[in-house]
C-alpha cells in the first residue's frame, strides 16, 4: 500500500512542489534495486538502501523485530523536508499504516 501510493501520486506530489520522492529501507542496495524493478512504471520514486540502519537510527525510527527473526528495521514514516528542515513527520506505530500515505502528504501540502 505504502510504495504504490507514492508511485501513483508522484505527479500530484511533484505538482505541489515536491522535488524528490525517496523511499528508504533498512536493506542492502541489491535488494532495493530489485524491489524498484517490481514497479516498471515508476518514474519518480527513488529507492535507497540504509543497509546498516544508520539513517534510521539517526532519526530515532528504528524498530527491533529481532524476536520475529527480522532484526532492526525502520518504522513506516513519511517526511516532508524543505532545505533539509523537517516540516512534517508522519510516523506510524508498529506495523500500522494510518498516517504516512501519499494522500496524507498531499493533504499537508494543500
Amino acid at each position: 500500500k505504502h510504495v504504490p501510493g507514492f508511485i501513483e501520486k508522484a505527479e500530484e506530489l511533484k505538482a505541489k512542489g515536491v522535488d524528490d520522492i525517496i523511499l528508504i529501507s533498512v536493506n542492502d542496495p541489491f535488494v532495493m534495486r530489485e524491489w524498484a524493478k517490481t514497479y516498471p512504471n515508476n518514474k519518480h520514486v527513488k529507492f535507497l538502501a540504509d543497509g546498516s540502519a544508520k539513517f534510521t537510527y539517526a532519526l530515532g525510527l528504528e524498530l527491533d523485530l529481532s524476536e520475529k527473526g527480522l532484526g532492526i528495521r525502520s518504522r513506516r514514516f513519511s517526511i516532508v523536508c524543505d532545505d533539509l528542515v523537517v516540516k512534517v513527520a508522519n510516523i506510524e506505530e508498529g506495523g500500522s499504516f494510518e498516517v504516512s500515505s501519499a494522500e496524507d502528504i498531499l493533504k499537508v501540502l494543500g
Side-chain angles (χ1 to χ4, degrees):
K1 296 183 224 176
H2 209 216
V3 176
F6 279 93
I7 291 171
E8 292 166 12
K9 301 290 185 182
E11 294 291 338
E12 290 178 60
L13 290 162
K14 293 283 192 175
K16 299 263 185 191
V18 172
D19 293 324
D20 294 299
I21 304 167
I22 303 169
L23 178 143
I24 300 171
S25 179
V26 179
N27 237 316
D28 64 66
F30 309 105
V31 167
M32 296 304 289
R33 183 183 63 230
E34 294 304 312
W35 188 10
K37 287 179 184 178
T38 67
Y39 298 100
N41 296 324
N42 174 33
K43 296 176 186 165
H44 300 292
V45 177
K46 299 172 186 173
F47 286 64
L48 299 180
D50 183 18
S52 299
K54 288 183 180 180
F55 181 77
T56 299
Y57 274 109
L59 293 177
L61 296 175
E62 67 278 358
L63 179 63
D64 189 351
L65 297 175
S66 298
E67 289 183 10
K68 296 180 180 181
L70 299 172
I72 299 298
R73 293 294 185 211
S74 173
R75 291 168 58 186
R76 184 175 283 135
F77 65 94
S78 58
I79 295 177
V80 175
C81 296
D82 188 9
D83 291 326
L84 300 178
V85 175
V86 174
K87 299 295 184 177
V88 175
N90 298 334
I91 302 167
E92 301 286 359
E93 291 297 323
S96 66
F97 181 56
E98 298 173 13
V99 299
S100 65
S101 70
E103 290 82 6
D104 292 314
I105 293 297
L106 283 167
K107 287 177 195 171
V108 169
L109 295 175

